[in-house]
Every structure is written in structure tokens, then in C-alpha cells.
Amino acid sequence: MKHKAYMNYSKISGILDKAASIAKPVEQVSSYRNINLEEAYGIQCLSIGRRYKRAERFVGIKLGFTSKAKMEQMGVHDLIWGRLTDRMQYLANEKMDRSQFIHPRAEPEVAFLLKKPIDKVLDRESAKEYIESVCIAIEVIDSRYKNFKFSLEDVVADNCSSAGFILGEWLSPDVDYHNSEIELWVNDELKQKGNTSAILGDPLESFLEASRMIMESDEDIDAGDIVLAGAATAAEYIDSGMKVEAKSPQLGSVILDID
Ligand code: OOG
Ligand code: MG
């Protein structure tokens, strides 16, 4: 085999996709190949393309590192975005199969449901026409890299650690999701406590950033698609037999049980 420094993007995307498929961690891309951010997004696109070929469907996007808590936990300080597919979504009462993950972590988030396709960079006023509903969510992240360690480029190439998510009940965007307490409970024990305003000052700002990132990319995002705004607190390791719950006085609660 050629030295890994010459490995092409398609091959790298295959390594990351396989690591996710068989739940076995791999070396960081940056340990063998110098890539910039644009190349990292290119690799993400190729790797997600492999999922589409297996009939997974694009259902939306997620933003990462929109809160200080997350940036500090992971040592990465720039906004990133990744793609969500239908296979990553858990429906109410559906259990997460631990064996399909490497070292999963859960984090409490806010999600948006799109009313119409994003066709421009939005501001706070124009965004209103684009948001059908909001809800509380749990995102499950599972870096494909050993020890959950990565650079900004590494994590972008790895589709921003996206692995799973579950949504609470959709609510009117008139509820105060902008500044609401939010907690993460594991087995009825409080693990993380924060406020949705930790997400870029207001999760709506994250939605605006999503519109900017989508307009800069060649991805289309349509009515019915989802935007995950990013975690309000640090993430917690989760494991078999655990019950994970995100809750908020304004947004209600959502539970994910792990098999
Ligand atoms: C990257 C994903 C970050 C968030 O909500 O900030 C993220 C990671 O922490 O592995 O999903
Ligand atoms: Mg997240």
C-alpha cells in the first residue's frame, strides 16, 4: 500500500465510514494526511455519500461547538456543521443499540423543524418564516477517532461525530426556547445543567448560522428537514442499560433508553 500521506479523499471517507459501520475507532486523519477545512468538508460529503448509497436519507443538519461548554470540553473553537440521516434518528420508545457505537456521549440540544427550503442567509426577522416548530432533543455523538480526540479538520471530516438523535414533542416557535433552563439526566441523576442561551447567546442565532453554512455549501435543506442547534452543556458518556433524559421547563422532556 502507498504511504498514507498520499491517500485520496475517497479512501479516507471510506475509512471513516467503515469505522462508523463496524464501531471500531481509527487514527485521526491529521496523523497521516494534512488536510484543510475545505478538504475536510469534502471528505465529510464523500463519506455521507456512502450512506446515501446504502439508502440512508438526508434529514437535516447539526451544528457543533455553538456553546463554550462544548468548545472547552473538546478543545475546538470554531463552528462546524454535519449531516443527519434518517438512520441516526430514534423514534419515541425506540432503544439505542449500544453495540453499534464506539464510545457514545449524549448532550442536550434544541432542534428546529423547517417550514420551507432555506434559499438565503437569514436574519432574526426573516428566519421566522422558515421555522415551523422547535423541540428539545438529545444528540448522541460518537467520534470515530481513538480516545474521542481530534482537530477541527478531523472532526469535520468525521461528519462532526454525528451518530444519533432523538427529538421531543414539536412545539410552536413562540415558546421561549431562547433562554430556557435545560438539564441532562442519566438514570434519574442530574449530570449537566445549563441554559439554551449558552447556544450562541440564543439557539435562533445557531439557526441563522445554519442558513449561512447551507448557502455556502451545495447541500439543499427542505421543508420538513431538521436543524440541531448544538449542545447547551458538555456531553456525558452513556452506556448499556442507561436511561438518558433531557428536560427543560419551557421545552418539556425527551428520553433515550440504551440497550
Ligand atoms: C463534535 C460535535 C459537537 C455540539 O453539539 O457541539 C456537537 C464532538 O463534540 O464530538 O455536536
Ligand atoms: Mg451536538
Side-chain angles (χ1 to χ4, degrees):
M1 194 173 92
K2 276 186 189 167
H3 189 271
K4 275 183 169 179
Y6 298 102
M7 197 174 283
N8 68 35
Y9 304 145
S10 171
K11 252 209 168 118
I12 297 172
S13 77
I15 290 173
L16 293 170
D17 179 59
K18 186 166 175 210
S21 303
I22 65 173
K24 285 238 156 64
V26 293
E27 302 295 336
Q28 295 174 44
V29 176
S30 58
S31 72
Y32 56 85
R33 178 82 150 86
N34 245 326
I35 52 164
N36 63 30
L37 203 53
E38 207 178 326
E39 292 167 313
Y41 277 108
I43 293 168
Q44 178 190 130
C45 194
L46 290 170
S47 145
I48 275 287
R50 292 171 182 267
R51 286 176 176 253
Y52 298 157
K53 272 203 193 135
R54 297 194 295 270
E56 286 186 44
R57 201 167 47 80
F58 173 88
V59 296
I61 66 166
K62 60 82 75 70
L63 271 75
F65 304 131
T66 49
S67 68
K68 265 213 188 81
K70 280 290 302 182
M71 292 190 265
E72 276 164 14
Q73 183 178 34
M74 305 316 295
V76 174
H77 294 89
D78 263 309
L79 232 63
I80 56 175
W81 71 280
R83 290 150 166 105
L84 303 171
T85 73
D86 59 339
R87 255 214 80 184
M88 298 177 191
Q89 184 167 7
Y90 294 94
L91 303 176
N93 301 319
E94 198 181 342
K95 285 191 170 183
M96 177 186 128
D97 176 3
R98 167 70 180 86
S99 69
Q100 290 176 11
F101 295 78
I102 302 165
H103 36 208
R105 292 175 169 188
E107 47 193 28
E109 304 222 0
V110 173
F112 295 92
L113 184 66
L114 272 180
K115 196 187 269 184
K116 56 184 199 176
I118 291 182
D119 50 3
K120 60 180 181 193
V121 178
L122 302 172
D123 58 27
R124 293 182 73 91
E125 199 40 49
S126 56
K128 286 184 192 149
E129 287 169 46
Y130 290 76
I131 301 172
E132 177 75 41
S133 329
V134 297
C135 73
I136 193 164
I138 296 171
E139 187 187 19
V140 177
I141 50 172
D142 192 32
S143 176
R144 268 54 72 165
Y145 301 118
K146 289 179 182 162
N147 305 316
F148 227 113
K149 286 248 163 62
F150 43 68
S151 68
L152 185 66
E153 291 79 13
D154 287 327
V155 68
V156 165
D158 183 29
N159 195 26
C160 305
S161 308
S162 308
F165 65 96
I166 186 164
L167 303 175
E169 195 189 325
W170 288 116
L171 304 170
S172 152
D174 296 334
V175 300
D176 183 10
Y177 66 86
H178 310 277
N179 185 359
S180 168
E181 278 172 23
I182 189 162
E183 296 173 344
L184 187 73
W185 291 69
V186 178
N187 292 344
D188 298 315
E189 199 182 307
L190 178 63
K191 292 286 187 185
Q192 295 285 339
K193 192 175 165 67
N195 191 290
T196 57
S197 65
I199 304 165
L200 294 179
D202 177 344
L204 180 59
E205 292 294 329
S206 188
F207 186 79
L208 307 183
E209 286 296 332
S211 74
R212 189 177 58 75
M213 288 170 164
I214 280 292
M215 293 315 291
E216 279 172 6
S217 81
D218 53 7
E219 194 66 74
D220 289 325
I221 183 159
D222 293 322
D225 287 343
I226 295 156
V227 174
L228 273 183
T233 71
E236 287 287 327
Y237 276 115
I238 52 175
D239 215 337
S240 300
M242 289 182 175
K243 175 181 123 183
V244 183
E245 181 173 16
K247 52 181 161 183
S248 146
Q250 280 89 344
L251 293 167
S253 132
V254 61
I255 295 175
L256 180 63
D257 284 306
I258 306 167
D259 242 352

